Amino acid sequence: MILPINAERPMRVLQITDCHLGAESSETLLGLNVETSFVDVLEHALVREETPDLILVTGDIAGDPSAQAYQRFVYHLDKAFPEVPFVCIPGNHDVPATMASVFPESSLPKMVELGDWLILLLDSTIPNKEHGDLSAQELDFVQKTLMHNPDKRAIICMHHQPVAVGCEWIDQYKVASAAQFKALLSEFDNVELVLWGHVHQAFETEVEGVRYMASPSTCIQFKPNSVDFALDRLMPGYRWFELDNSGQLSTRIERINQKDYPIDYSSNGY
Ligand SMILES: [Fe+2]
């Protein structure tokens, strides 16, 4: 996918992740109606932000991967941002074939070009497994794309975390081939950012000059630095990016205003 750029201003990207929508709109996750919080997040972005150039969705769109869940995702996205293209990668809770049967083909590219920027969309899922991995094919795609585009700044997206975020219980599901992935990146100097979902929390670090980031879910939030499963009381949210033509990337997390969702904060799993 190649997006038209506006030379007068930075490109704007809205990242949303881990919506966990169900087959019914009444679906809840630990007491939270996941469709309500998803719509709340979209409305917050709609009111607060300029219109994005791209919506980037980093997996776990569905919690129960039925066609209806993906249909309602598209319905709400289109209602809030009718003119904005969206692109998706699957998470461990998604079924890629069902996603592909509902989403337009244009929303499932391997790469998006926005002027001087390239967004690579990797599939880190393994069917019926919770942890992530990048296949030899995905690593080869990264290697070839970076090699053939030395003048572009790259953002590499996947669902699972390629570095530990500090939550023992969920870090056991990180990308198994993370060491190979990082070794591969060290051969290039045009990777700006590695970005993922999965961990339902904001996270940022830097490894060998590359920024690594995770973002809040549109539903429940996991508590940072937890050994065992624990929920955070932070509100659902999104991440906002501005990418300018000189290769500068700025980003921030936004969360919806405090709202009294009936979440079971004492739960020890989901
Ligand atoms: Fe998730």
Side-chain angles (χ1 to χ4, degrees):
M1 176 189 277
I2 301 176
L3 290 180
I5 58 160
N6 182 334
E8 305 295 309
R9 59 161 178 80
M11 298 300 283
R12 306 169 188 137
V13 179
L14 168 64
Q15 183 203 5
I16 54 175
T17 195
D18 293 83
C19 312
H20 287 253
L21 299 178
E24 306 294 332
S25 59
S26 56
E27 204 77 39
T28 60
L29 185 57
L30 305 182
L32 172 66
N33 182 304
V34 287
E35 190 159 327
T36 300
S37 65
F38 172 55
V39 171
D40 289 346
V41 168
L42 292 179
E43 280 177 2
H44 191 83
L46 191 60
V47 169
R48 187 183 166 90
E49 313 290 357
E50 303 281 354
T51 305
D53 298 294
L54 177 72
I55 296 174
L56 172 62
V57 191
T58 43
D60 281 2
I61 294 161
D64 158 19
S66 57
Q68 296 96 307
Y70 295 119
Q71 282 157 0
R72 277 207 312 285
F73 176 81
V74 175
Y75 169 79
H76 289 298
L77 212 54
D78 195 48
K79 200 169 158 198
F81 297 101
E83 306 295 330
V84 181
F86 71 96
V87 292
C88 301
I89 48 177
N92 50 298
H93 288 273
D94 292 307
V95 172
T98 314
M99 279 171 69
S101 73
V102 173
F103 292 167
E105 206 181 319
S106 61
S107 72
L108 298 164
K110 287 300 291 173
M111 194 164 75
V112 182
E113 194 179 319
L114 309 93
D116 293 337
W117 292 86
L118 271 188
I119 300 179
L120 281 66
L121 299 155
L122 306 185
D123 182 352
S124 63
T125 64
I126 309 166
N128 305 313
K129 297 282 185 201
E130 225 168 308
H131 76 277
D133 199 10
L134 293 171
S135 64
Q137 199 182 348
E138 290 295 76
L139 293 172
D140 190 52
F141 166 70
V142 173
Q143 204 261 344
K144 290 204 165 79
T145 305
L146 294 177
M147 197 173 68
H148 291 135
N149 294 280
D151 300 331
K152 303 274 188 194
R153 301 303 302 166
I155 296 174
I156 303 178
C157 304
M158 61 193 79
H159 176 67
H160 295 81
Q161 69 270 44
V163 295
V165 299
C167 287
E168 263 181 50
W169 71 274
I170 203 165
D171 281 338
Q172 64 183 309
Y173 304 126
K174 78 180 169 80
V175 173
S177 51
Q180 289 105 295
F181 175 69
K182 273 180 267 176
L184 175 57
L185 295 200
S186 70
E187 295 172 24
F188 298 92
D189 60 5
N190 58 332
V191 180
E192 184 70 23
L193 169 69
V194 179
L195 177 70
W196 62 92
H198 191 53
V199 297
H200 293 221
Q201 62 194 276
F203 174 84
E204 182 166 356
T205 192
E206 194 175 315
V207 182
E208 294 173 359
V210 179
R211 297 168 82 182
Y212 283 72
M213 293 179 199
S215 307
S217 158
T218 67
C219 63
I220 53 171
Q221 309 300 304
F222 300 152
K223 201 173 176 61
N225 303 311
S226 303
V227 175
D228 299 313
F229 178 91
L231 287 182
D232 206 338
R233 286 179 183 269
L234 291 174
M235 289 290 106
Y238 59 86
R239 187 182 279 278
W240 184 260
F241 290 100
E242 296 194 355
L243 313 172
D244 79 15
N245 293 332
S246 66
Q248 291 297 309
L249 174 155
S250 66
T251 182
R252 58 184 156 80
I253 297 287
E254 294 294 336
R255 297 178 187 274
I256 65 164
N257 299 325
Q258 189 66 36
K259 188 172 170 182
D260 195 17
Y261 294 117
I263 298 173
D264 177 10
Y265 287 107
S266 65
S267 172
N268 53 16
Y270 80 108

